[in-house]
Amino acid sequence: MAAVMVMSVGCDKESISPIIPDSPIIPDGALPGLFSVSATKQVYFSQGNLQYQASTKTWRFAEHQYDYVGSDNRSISSTYSGWIDLFGWGTGSNPTLSSTSFEDYGTFVDWGCNAISNGGNTANRWRTLTKSEWYYLFNKRTGALSKRGTGNINGVGGLIILPDSWTLPSECSFTSGFCSPSGDNYPDWTHNSYTLAQWAQMEAAGAVFLPAAGSRFGTYVANVGYSGYYWSSTSSRNFDGDAYGMNFDGDNLDAMYYHLRDDGFSVRPVQDN
């Protein structure tokens, strides 16, 4: 953005000084990149997947984008002292609900209604993307297809999303799309591989990483390291027990995925710009 020139008039001469626009203020707990989720709206992604500790009733974002709880989600309960990060649909007011009856998930309560300890610690600051916003992000924003691809960070597989405005760090590379698996090598997350140091540069440039954190049904956890499932805030019109989200594995992405609400999926909150 060009500097704005301000003219001040003295007794016998004019002086001109530039006013440099302030840099954008990145919200607490957010990553620096901006992502279009509609023709008129951009969002910041949280620094990691949402996590909850029942024993202290504490919400937080994972410390790193590549962190996830995995099989320990099977210990989900109202008294569990560990962390969970696979939630039934709309369980912002009841995060340890593990019923396997979709009828118990009839009303959506956004997880962002809660104060998130390392995300500003104020209620209603974050929200969950809608079905149409996930779809726009992956398929309709400018350069959408060139700004998504699978990969791994220090061996952790997942999906990489680049922000609207993007400059590739000089010591890194990025290839969009998916890596077709061969033989028994599935899923294949080698399409883009980063050390922790390289990923720190990618993240500083605005890149988002969604780990393939698996899913949960009751206390059974599956597909950890193989697939990523992330909820949206939109219910399905096909069946009252379904809701929309997004799903990916090593060679496919479904931005309008729908599934029974009683499954536990990851949640990656956003904050509007």
Side-chain angles (χ1 to χ4, degrees), residues 7-16:
M7 180 179 294
S8 60
V9 180
C11 294
D12 58 359
K13 64 179 181 178
E14 296 178 351
S15 62
I16 299 176

Coordinates of all heavy atoms in Angstrom, one line a residue, residues 7-16:
M7 N 0.1 17.1 4.3 CA 0.7 18.4 4.1 C 0.3 19.3 5.3 O -0.8 19.4 5.8 CB 0.1 19.0 2.9 CG 0.7 20.4 2.6 SD 0.1 21.1 1.0 CE 0.8 20.0 -0.1
S8 N 1.3 19.9 5.9 CA 1.1 20.8 7.0 C 1.7 22.2 6.6 O 2.7 22.2 6.0 CB 1.8 20.3 8.3 OG 3.2 20.2 8.1
V9 N 1.0 23.2 6.9 CA 1.3 24.6 6.5 C 1.9 25.4 7.7 O 1.2 25.5 8.7 CB 0.1 25.3 5.9 CG1 0.5 26.7 5.4 CG2 -0.5 24.5 4.8
G10 N 3.2 25.8 7.5 CA 3.8 26.6 8.6 C 3.6 28.1 8.2 O 2.9 28.5 7.4
C11 N 4.4 29.0 8.9 CA 4.3 30.4 8.7 C 4.8 30.8 7.3 O 4.2 31.7 6.6 CB 5.2 31.2 9.7 SG 4.6 31.0 11.4
D12 N 5.8 30.1 6.8 CA 6.3 30.6 5.5 C 6.7 29.4 4.5 O 7.3 29.6 3.5 CB 7.6 31.5 5.7 CG 8.7 30.8 6.5 OD1 8.4 29.6 6.9 OD2 9.7 31.4 6.7
K13 N 6.4 28.2 4.9 CA 6.6 27.1 4.0 C 5.7 25.9 4.3 O 5.1 25.8 5.4 CB 8.1 26.6 4.2 CG 8.5 26.1 5.5 CD 9.9 25.6 5.6 CE 10.3 25.0 6.9 NZ 11.7 24.6 6.9
E14 N 5.7 25.0 3.4 CA 4.9 23.7 3.5 C 5.8 22.6 3.8 O 6.9 22.5 3.2 CB 4.1 23.5 2.3 CG 3.0 24.5 2.0 CD 2.3 24.2 0.7 OE1 2.7 23.3 0.0 OE2 1.3 24.9 0.4
S15 N 5.4 21.7 4.6 CA 6.2 20.4 4.9 C 5.3 19.2 4.6 O 4.1 19.3 4.9 CB 6.7 20.4 6.3 OG 5.7 20.4 7.2
I16 N 5.9 18.2 4.0 CA 5.2 17.0 3.7 C 5.8 15.8 4.4 O 7.0 15.6 4.3 CB 5.2 16.8 2.2 CG1 4.5 18.0 1.5 CG2 4.5 15.5 1.8 CD1 4.5 17.9 0.0

